[in-house]
């Protein structure tokens, strides 16, 4: 999703949002919630977070639109929906043939369109409804539709159990159809990403779909580089979308879109919460000044998101080492995704952001070295054996290092393996000043001088490079 789309998404919740100026922050925030979905009925949580971010002042603009969160017990649906203009690419999407396993059943499709048109949605109230996709995916039945008039459009996605009738689909997510079904309403993009799951019901295993205008072709690659692209056999439709993938859409011989697979607002997730045992295990190895209650709340929120193949882990909570008393605390959480990708999430009092890396954070000796650009640099930072290049930089930011707990020192290495600086660690944690330019190699050593961890600074993220590559319907 584009930066414009997220800003507009937050605006409909809590008024205008003015982007910050920090370009690095903009890159790091891009995929804060690229695939994450709030639990059903979580409007108040989303609104509170948006208002808090505005009152405290964002450190930089987030750039992934939030999905509509629909309370399945409420009827009518749509109190916070909005429409967007129909662009030529959206018109081409709407005019594309209906796709899906039920697309050939014209009676079913026509009845479903008529019933969805009668459903009380508070945008484009007199618009027509076109079914873009309808079919069974696993144990679920999925619908993607457009509601539109001469100038405006909005998308409607329905998630229900396999075999649901047009009447049942039209009533999904309401008191009349309180079976765990879900509805999401959000303006369409030419690249439509849809993601649903409700693990509270037997049939609610996750389904994911990516849809583009007819005649376009989707190619798929893993987010890590170098990328090997493969054309999707179905061409303009993908039914097995992974959060660790990138999609490239080619139309009329030109690449029109390149971005995170499944990005889009038509999504709802109700994911099984972490158990008490999982929360306890996730906090067990955390370092810093851990608040157990706050840590449990953060982990439950992170664990209730989609795309994870294992529970999250809290690595650090508290202020940076030797930080002034008024510096805000941070919380650093990691979680594994498919294809060897890890999600890294940082929470502060002012903001939250996330990014992805292929550094194996589950291996022995893994290190994290993150530039603390989100904090105001102190006037001076202790550095027992300073790196001359770094120490000469006016008002540098810092790099937070998390090494194995037995590590007592980190060495900064040049390309020829010369040690250019060292700094101390306590419980494997430390920080050093950083000029924002150098790429550093790190070695963590224990009290006997043995190397117990290696890494690079700053920590590698694919989100920044993907942001630079991204194309949005040129």
């Amino acid at each position: 999703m584009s930066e414009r789309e997220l800003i507009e998404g937050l605006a409909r919740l809590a008024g205008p949002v003015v982007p910050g100026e920090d370009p690095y922050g903009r890159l790091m925030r891009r995929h804060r919630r690229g695939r994450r979905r709030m639990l059903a009925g979580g409007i108040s949580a989303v609104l509170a977070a948006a208002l808090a971010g505005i009152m405290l002042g964002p450190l930089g603009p987030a750039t992934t639109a939030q999905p509509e969160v629909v309370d399945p017990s409420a009827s009518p649906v749509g109190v916070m929906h909005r429409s967007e203009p129909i662009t030529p690419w959206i018109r081409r999407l709407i005019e594309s043939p209906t796709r899906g396993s039920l697309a050939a059943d014209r009676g079913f499709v026509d009845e479903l369109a008529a019933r969805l048109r009668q459903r009380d949605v508070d945008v484009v109230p007199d618009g027509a409804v076109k079914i873009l996709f309808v079919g069974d995916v696993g144990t679920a039945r999925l619908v993607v539709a457009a509601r539109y008039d001469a100038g405006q459009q909005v998308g409607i996605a329905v998630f229900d159990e396999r075999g649901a009738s047009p009447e049942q689909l039209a009533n999904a997510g309401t008191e009349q159809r309180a079976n765990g079904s879900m509805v999401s309403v959000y303006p369409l993009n030419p690249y439509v990403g849809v993601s649903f799951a409700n693990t509270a019901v037997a049939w609610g295993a996750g389904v994911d779909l990516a849809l583009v205008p007819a005649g376009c072709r989707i190619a798929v690659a893993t987010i890590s580089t170098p990328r090997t692209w493969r054309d999707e056999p179905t061409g303009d439709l993908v039914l097995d979308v992974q959060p660790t993938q990138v999609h490239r859409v080619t139309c009329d011989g030109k690449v029109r879109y390149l971005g995170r697979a499944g990005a889009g607002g038509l999504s709802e997730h109700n994911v099984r919460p972490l158990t008490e045992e999982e929360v306890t295990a996730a906090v067990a190895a955390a370092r810093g000044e851990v608040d157990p209650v706050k840590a449990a709340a953060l982990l439950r929120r992170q664990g209730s998101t989609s795309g994870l193949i294992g529970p999250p882990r809290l690595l650090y909570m508290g202020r940076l080492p030797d930080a002034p008393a008024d510096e805000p605390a941070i919380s650093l959480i990691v979680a594994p995704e498919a294809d060897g990708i890890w999600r890294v999430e940082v929470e502060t009092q002012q903001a939250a952001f996330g990014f992805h890396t292929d550094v194996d954070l589950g291996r022995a000796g893994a290190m994290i070295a993150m530039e603390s650009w989100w904090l105001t640099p102190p006037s001076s930072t202790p550095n027992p054996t300073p790196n001359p290049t770094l120490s000469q930089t006016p008002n540098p930011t810092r790099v937070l290092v998390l090494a194995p707990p037995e590590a007592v020192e980190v060495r900064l290495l040049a390309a020829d393996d010369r040690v250019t600086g060292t700094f101390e660690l306590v419980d494997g944690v430390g920080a050093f000043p950083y000029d924002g330019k150098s790429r550093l190699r790190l070695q963590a050593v224990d009290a006997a001088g043995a190397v117990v961890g290696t890494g690079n600074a700053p920590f590698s993220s694919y989100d920044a490079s993907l942001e630079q590559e991204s194309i949005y319907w040129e």
Side-chain angles (χ1 to χ4, degrees), residues 14-37:
V17 177
V18 179
E21 297 297 328
D22 179 10
Y24 186 53
R26 180 166 64 252
L27 297 181
M28 297 290 278
R29 280 184 177 78
R30 168 164 168 70
H31 298 295
R32 164 73 175 127
R33 290 184 176 92
R35 294 262 312 174
R36 295 172 44 186
R37 302 296 177 234

Side-chain angles (χ1 to χ4, degrees), residues 426-474:
V426 177
D427 196 24
V429 181
F432 66 91
Y434 179 60
D435 62 6
K437 300 176 183 178
S438 305
R439 181 73 175 168
L440 304 172
R441 292 172 51 229
L442 309 179
Q443 278 186 348
V445 297
D446 63 15
V451 176
V452 294
T454 58
N456 293 293
F459 199 57
S460 63
S461 164
Y462 287 117
D463 300 276
S465 59
L466 181 58
E467 170 71 13
Q468 295 170 344
E469 296 176 60
S470 296
I471 298 170
Y472 299 100
W473 296 96
E474 294 181 350

Side-chain angles (χ1 to χ4, degrees), residues 47-357:
L47 181 57
L51 289 172
I54 291 168
M55 289 186 290
L56 292 170
L59 300 180
T63 55
T64 303
Q66 294 294 320
E68 294 291 340
V69 181
V70 179
D71 184 346
S73 67
S75 179
V77 173
V79 295
M80 301 180 74
H81 301 149
R82 80 188 199 294
S83 63
E84 283 190 357
I86 294 182
T87 65
W89 283 112
I90 294 294
R91 188 169 299 281
R92 180 166 166 177
L93 175 70
I94 293 173
E95 293 174 351
S96 299
T98 301
R99 283 157 278 187
S101 60
L102 295 173
D105 188 339
R106 292 311 310 170
F108 189 100
V109 172
D110 291 345
E111 180 184 353
L112 177 60
R115 289 183 178 275
L116 285 178
R117 191 173 187 275
Q118 295 170 9
R119 181 164 176 144
D120 189 355
V121 177
D122 62 346
V123 290
V124 201
D126 298 320
V129 170
K130 168 66 179 292
I131 306 300
L132 306 179
F133 176 94
V134 57
D136 291 326
V137 183
T139 56
R141 180 156 285 184
L142 185 64
V143 178
V144 183
R147 188 178 185 123
Y148 65 99
D149 58 20
Q152 295 288 307
Q153 56 83 15
V154 71
I156 305 171
V158 180
F159 175 69
D160 208 326
E161 57 187 320
R162 189 183 186 99
S165 68
E167 180 180 7
Q168 291 170 326
L169 292 167
N171 286 323
T174 69
E175 294 175 353
Q176 292 82 7
R177 183 69 173 161
N179 65 326
S181 56
M182 295 176 172
V183 173
S184 180
V185 180
Y186 199 83
L188 291 167
N189 288 300
Y191 173 93
V192 181
V194 180
S195 180
F196 278 101
N198 186 356
T199 56
V201 293
W203 57 267
V207 298
D208 299 273
L209 174 146
L211 188 70
V212 295
C216 299
R217 293 199 62 85
I218 300 174
V220 182
T222 301
I223 191 173
S224 57
T225 53
R227 298 198 182 103
T228 301
W229 293 97
R230 60 173 178 81
D231 287 335
E232 183 62 31
T234 51
D236 52 21
L237 173 70
V238 181
L239 286 173
D240 184 20
V241 180
Q242 299 297 322
T244 54
Q245 293 177 343
V246 179
H247 282 176
R248 183 182 66 193
V249 181
T250 303
C251 308
D252 306 328
K254 182 177 180 179
V255 175
R256 307 287 180 173
Y257 172 88
L258 189 153
R260 174 85 59 184
L266 292 169
S267 302
E268 275 299 320
H269 276 216
N270 183 8
V271 181
R272 177 190 68 80
L274 295 178
T275 66
E276 291 294 336
E277 292 76 13
E278 288 172 327
V279 171
T280 300
V283 178
R287 286 168 281 176
E289 303 164 320
V290 179
D291 179 333
V293 175
K294 181 179 178 181
L298 288 175
L299 287 162
R300 290 187 189 282
R301 190 175 73 212
Q302 300 294 346
S304 296
T305 61
S306 63
L308 303 183
I309 60 173
R313 300 198 320 246
L314 177 68
L315 298 187
Y316 187 81
M317 178 178 283
R319 294 176 296 117
L320 265 64
D322 300 311
D326 60 350
E327 184 172 275
I330 71 164
S331 299
L332 177 61
I333 297 172
V334 300
E337 294 188 341
D339 300 319
I341 304 298
W342 285 75
R343 179 186 297 169
V344 181
E345 301 280 349
V346 176
E347 302 266 355
T348 75
Q349 294 172 342
Q350 287 83 10
F353 67 92
F355 62 93
H356 295 82
T357 182

